[in-house]
Amino acid sequence: MALCFKKQPFTIAAFIIFFLLLSLPHFSASASSNDLSCLKVSPINFTNSAKEIITNLQQVTSNLSRFTGDISHPLLLNTISDCLDLLDVSVDQLYWIISTTQNPKGKDNSTGNLSSDLRTWLSAVLVNTDTCIEGLQGTNVMGLVYADLDRVMSSVKNLLDEVILINDQLPTATSSDQFPSWMKDSDMKLLQANETTADAVVAADGSGNYSNVTDAVFAAPDFNMKRHVIFVKKGVYVENVDIKKKKWNIMIIGEGMDATVISGNRSCVGGSTPFHSATFAVNGRGFIAQDISFRNTAGPEMHQAVALRSDSDLSVFHRCGIFGYQDSLYPHSMRQFYRECTIAGTVDFIFGYATAVFQNCQIIAKQGRPNQKNTVTAQGRIDPNEPTGFSFQFCNISAENETIPTYLGRPWKNYSRTIFMQSHMSNAIRPEGWLEWDGSFALDTLYYGEYNNSGPGAEIANRVKWPGYHVFNDSSDASKYTVAEFIEGDLWLPSTGVNYTAGLVNGKKA
């Protein structure tokens, strides 16, 4: 999975973020977890190490920037440009880490679970660097920056090892089916129905403030401290939308996943890397999308072609459609929640490095190229200390054609982690369940789990016998991958107004 990149030079924005750290209004602090007991080393040593990583990243950026004017090959230019963007974002994330470590009791420190926040952001820096390395592999540029990038990877892994996992959370509820009392009435109306009362209205017919989504996003305030709602009227919007890192707290609402569609057709065969191919990409913090679809129409013969990519921490996708073929959905990094979405594709059509929970979603394998095997997931956990992985609960996994050989996943990276629980699996899922990536690669280091699934494809008698594959017989094992524990959902999801189930329930749906 070679990847793509876009240039964005280092700016004063990183330092603005240092002082505006994590001020999104829907975050709440947990008093029992916002101290430095999660660190194995002194805060001074921890922050000094983070500063050294920033210096290394800036060195790589300086070296890469020299090439952008001398390269004519579009794929390599995209790769370098996107790499510069990712390294720039990594510097911001390291400043979040430094600021939070220096002021651990700050009321705006994201979820308030310092252990989770630090591990999430360090993992994102690791992911960004790995994405950069993977994109540059096989190019003449790699030799000039590899040593510094490899040093960053090693340093971030060392810092991850210095953060102790502490699951310290607010009381867990069985479900959150009501909107929280502190939400504004206008926010609740927007979530309950397709209201047109919003900060901006997009309409292809000219009846709104903007005729395309890109212009509405560009006009949104930077580092916004409150929810900025963009209502997109029904229609097909052919554009590639990129919500940059400064665009915090944006909410996009459509008129239904079958009515409001953002469509593009970038692909690897067409000259993009998967990272750059996304029809809709979001980096800004606290993003929410509801009742809208993201499509990549490039087709199965065009190989990797992403419909949606998210690097937005604490982001939510509610009743969204995500349609493509290979690599449809790219949860690249950070903590993400998908509820009542329909996700369709062929090869590795949910792939990435993020910590993501999918609840009550329709997962559909499509007809790809002749004799092609379909794999639902390809999760990219790089290091055993990373908190990342994919968890599917109350989902329905099926295929357009039940004769297409379909597998739950394959290990893209060494510590790939994916869990399916309390979900229904159709006949399309092969009896062995999971597929190798390349021979015995990662079979003893991956972590794949299944718990209390149903349907003809959920039979475990003939599942793979890999050391890293697990059938959970104890609910306590499965609970680790619920909304409340895996993405600390009780600390931030209630104020989004999106329904969710915090833990395990006895039924098949919630």
Side-chain angles (χ1 to χ4, degrees):
M1 299 209 176
L3 296 145
C4 353
F5 310 77
K6 271 179 102 183
K7 181 182 179 183
Q8 180 112 345
F10 288 111
T11 68
I12 197 170
F15 299 95
I16 294 175
I17 292 175
F18 186 85
F19 296 104
L20 292 180
L21 177 68
L22 314 178
S23 300
L24 294 181
H26 59 274
F27 300 154
S28 59
S30 170
S32 59
S33 58
N34 59 1
D35 59 49
L36 296 172
S37 61
C38 65
L39 297 183
K40 299 179 184 177
V41 296
S42 71
I44 293 176
N45 288 341
F46 192 82
T47 56
N48 284 342
S49 295
K51 291 174 183 177
E52 290 177 8
I53 297 172
I54 290 174
T55 300
N56 287 328
L57 289 172
Q58 290 171 334
Q59 181 62 49
V60 175
T61 298
S62 177
N63 290 337
L64 285 176
S65 297
R66 299 203 311 265
F67 290 96
T68 55
D70 301 325
I71 294 174
S72 58
H73 193 285
L75 182 57
L76 180 56
L77 190 62
N78 280 339
T79 300
I80 292 176
S81 183
D82 285 346
C83 189
L84 289 170
D85 257 1
L86 285 167
L87 300 184
D88 180 43
V89 169
S90 291
V91 169
D92 286 358
Q93 291 157 350
L94 287 161
Y95 276 121
W96 303 346
I97 289 164
I98 293 169
S99 181
T100 303
T101 305
Q102 291 175 340
N103 184 24
K105 295 186 178 181
K107 65 182 178 64
D108 293 322
N109 284 352
S110 194
T111 66
N113 185 328
L114 187 61
S115 169
S116 175
D117 294 342
L118 293 179
R119 294 171 75 242
T120 294
W121 301 333
L122 283 168
S123 179
V125 176
L126 191 65
V127 164
N128 294 339
T129 309
D130 186 71
T131 302
C132 185
I133 290 173
E134 187 158 295
L136 292 173
Q137 281 179 350
T139 71
N140 57 3
V141 177
M142 175 62 97
L144 299 174
V145 295
Y146 179 76
D148 283 323
L149 289 173
D150 186 58
R151 189 176 301 112
V152 168
M153 293 283 285
S154 298
S155 298
V156 175
K157 288 180 180 180
N158 289 338
L159 274 187
L160 264 171
D161 187 50
E162 300 296 350
V163 184
I164 301 168
L165 171 62
I166 299 176
N167 282 323
D168 192 6
Q169 311 185 24
L170 297 176
T172 299
T174 56
S175 66
S176 177
D177 294 325
Q178 302 298 322
F179 295 110
S181 59
W182 59 86
M183 285 191 69
K184 296 179 181 178
D185 289 342
S186 58
D187 291 338
M188 286 188 281
K189 287 179 181 178
L190 282 163
L191 287 162
Q192 289 170 329
N194 291 324
E195 297 286 336
T196 56
T197 302
D199 297 289
V201 176
V202 178
D205 61 7
S207 61
N209 308 108
Y210 305 93
S211 60
N212 62 71
V213 179
T214 297
D215 288 346
V217 168
F218 183 79
D222 293 344
F223 306 117
N224 199 24
M225 301 301 179
K226 62 180 182 178
R227 184 70 59 201
H228 183 85
V229 178
I230 300 173
F231 180 73
V232 186
K233 290 187 177 182
K234 63 183 178 180
V236 177
Y237 298 81
V238 181
E239 56 180 312
N240 290 85
V241 180
D242 190 358
I243 300 180
K244 296 292 189 179
K245 65 176 186 177
K246 297 179 183 180
K247 302 298 181 180
W248 289 6
N249 212 19
I250 286 178
M251 180 177 189
I252 290 184
I253 300 178
E255 294 195 81
M257 70 170 72
D258 297 323
T260 304
V261 178
I262 301 177
S263 181
N265 65 356
R266 289 178 182 169
S267 68
C268 278
V269 173
S272 293
T273 62
F275 191 89
H276 184 70
S277 70
T279 297
F280 192 96
V282 56
N283 190 284
R285 302 179 61 91
F287 176 77
I288 298 177
Q290 180 171 288
D291 295 319
I292 192 168
S293 282
F294 312 101
R295 292 181 180 173
N296 192 312
T297 61
E301 69 282 355
M302 302 301 283
H303 298 278
Q304 295 103 317
V306 174
L308 169 64
R309 170 174 56 82
S310 177
D311 288 273
S312 174
D313 198 16
L314 309 182
S315 55
V316 174
F317 298 86
H318 184 214
R319 298 199 300 259
C320 291
I322 303 154
F323 304 110
Y325 290 88
Q326 184 170 349
D327 294 1
S328 303
L329 173 59
Y330 193 2
H332 184 254
S333 67
M334 299 295 194
R335 292 161 289 195
Q336 306 179 22
F337 180 60
Y338 297 78
R339 172 84 179 195
E340 297 169 48
C341 293
T342 298
I343 307 165
T346 56
V347 178
D348 306 335
F349 63 92
I350 302 174
F351 87 107
Y353 308 80
T355 311
V357 174
F358 302 81
Q359 216 170 63
N360 297 79
C361 292
Q362 297 292 320
I363 313 295
I364 305 170
K366 296 169 66 174
Q367 182 74 53
R369 289 176 289 160
N371 303 316
Q372 186 177 63
K373 296 177 180 178
N374 285 339
T375 42
V376 175
T377 67
Q379 203 278 332
R381 188 162 165 249
I382 303 166
D383 186 85
N385 289 315
E386 285 189 278
T388 66
F390 297 159
S391 175
F392 297 82
Q393 186 182 24
F394 315 127
C395 293
N396 185 68
I397 300 94
S398 63
E400 289 181 341
N401 182 344
E402 295 287 320
T403 66
I404 302 172
T406 300
Y407 300 83
L408 297 174
R410 59 178 182 155
W412 179 27
K413 301 289 182 177
N414 275 299
Y415 297 93
S416 178
R417 180 162 61 179
T418 303
I419 311 298
F420 285 85
M421 55 188 183
Q422 297 180 303
S423 294
H424 184 273
M425 301 178 185
S426 78
N427 269 321
I429 301 302
R430 295 284 298 170
E432 56 269 39
W434 306 81
L435 185 66
E436 297 86 353
W437 182 273
D438 184 12
S440 62
F441 170 75
L443 301 187
D444 58 348
T445 52
L446 61 79
Y447 194 92
Y448 289 162
E450 296 185 53
Y451 173 74
N452 198 23
N453 296 306
S454 61
E459 292 294 331
I460 59 174
N462 295 310
R463 285 294 197 251
V464 295
K465 307 302 179 185
W466 305 339
Y469 171 72
H470 307 272
V471 176
F472 299 149
N473 295 314
D474 191 331
S475 62
S476 63
D477 293 325
S479 292
K480 298 173 185 176
Y481 303 100
T482 58
V483 166
E485 295 195 36
F486 201 41
I487 56 173
E488 293 81 35
D490 284 338
L491 300 180
W492 60 278
L493 278 174
S495 59
T496 68
V498 174
N499 293 350
Y500 72 97
T501 301
L504 298 173
V505 295
N506 293 327
K508 293 184 175 66
K509 294 183 178 181

